[in-house]
Amino acid sequence: MKHTLSVLVEDEAGVLTRIAGLFARRGFNIESLAVGPTETVGISRIIMVVPGDNDSIEQLTKQLYKLINVLKVNNITQTPCVERELILVKVNASASNRAEVIELAQVFRARIVDISEETVTIEVVGDPGKIVAIVQMLNKFGLKEVARTGKIALVRESGVNTEYLKSLEAKLQSFS
């Protein structure tokens, strides 16, 4: 199972290196990593997606707390969150299929950020599921290049789980 960890750290040189070293020593792979400043000066938030079972992630969390500069670690995997990723995708788009590529981008509310005679570069922002879906759809045209950020996430203060609401809505529609 993939776990999403939100880690608050003091914004000092070497913090990320120490965290990455801990993961490497424990044999964990970081599948996604995003780091940036928070609302508090001198504090950064690291969002990581890490595969592992509940026990190994709990051990990893305990190890993270032992590192200097780590202030707080939250496993937000099961917590209602707002999640976003950004991806730039350069797609083969000749004159014959360019309109179809642009139409697909519009369906996903993506933006065309560059265009040439043979390619279109598309910017997509959304939850991880949206990113996977558009990449699957664009594959048929041929992907030239992909640059993707790691997942970022913040806990929903309302506590509303939008994934649960989507599944509930789908069930209700199936009864109609």
Side-chain angles (χ1 to χ4, degrees):
M1 179 177 174
K2 294 180 183 179
H3 292 263
T4 303
L5 302 179
S6 176
V7 183
L8 291 177
V9 298
E10 293 173 1
D11 190 10
E12 292 184 13
V15 174
L16 189 56
T17 301
R18 285 193 290 282
I19 290 173
L22 171 69
F23 278 66
R25 286 190 305 277
R26 301 283 183 263
F28 281 93
N29 183 36
I30 299 172
E31 291 188 3
S32 171
L33 178 68
V35 184
T38 65
E39 66 286 353
T40 306
V41 175
I43 306 292
S44 289
R45 182 180 318 276
I46 302 172
I47 304 290
M48 296 179 274
V49 176
V50 182
D53 60 33
N54 290 335
D55 291 336
S56 61
I57 297 300
E58 187 177 327
Q59 274 304 117
L60 189 60
T61 299
K62 289 176 184 175
Q63 294 296 317
L64 282 168
Y65 271 118
K66 291 180 181 180
L67 294 177
I68 298 171
N69 306 113
V70 172
L71 304 172
K72 187 169 186 179
V73 181
N74 281 332
N75 184 345
I76 59 174
T77 307
Q78 301 297 326
T79 306
C81 292
V82 177
E83 300 176 335
R84 294 292 182 266
E85 286 191 50
L86 164 68
I87 187 170
L88 293 173
V89 184
K90 189 181 296 181
V91 182
N92 291 322
S94 61
S96 63
N97 67 359
R98 179 172 289 125
E100 189 178 357
V101 170
I102 291 171
E103 185 179 321
L104 184 62
Q106 290 171 340
V107 166
F108 280 90
R109 293 189 202 118
R111 292 182 36 208
I112 305 298
V113 293
D114 189 47
I115 196 163
S116 74
E117 288 185 27
E118 295 300 319
T119 66
V120 171
T121 302
I122 302 170
E123 172 190 89
V124 188
V125 176
D127 63 69
K130 176 181 178 178
I131 302 299
V132 168
I134 193 169
V135 168
Q136 286 177 343
M137 296 298 294
L138 291 171
N139 259 327
K140 70 180 179 183
F141 301 106
L143 305 181
K144 299 266 300 177
E145 287 183 74
V146 174
R148 187 172 174 175
T149 66
K151 175 172 39 172
I152 58 170
L154 288 176
V155 172
R156 288 186 181 274
E157 288 299 316
S158 66
V160 175
N161 183 340
T162 54
E163 291 303 314
Y164 171 74
L165 291 177
K166 286 179 193 175
S167 69
L168 186 61
E169 183 179 316
K171 286 178 187 175
L172 292 174
Q173 288 178 351
S174 68
F175 290 122
S176 301

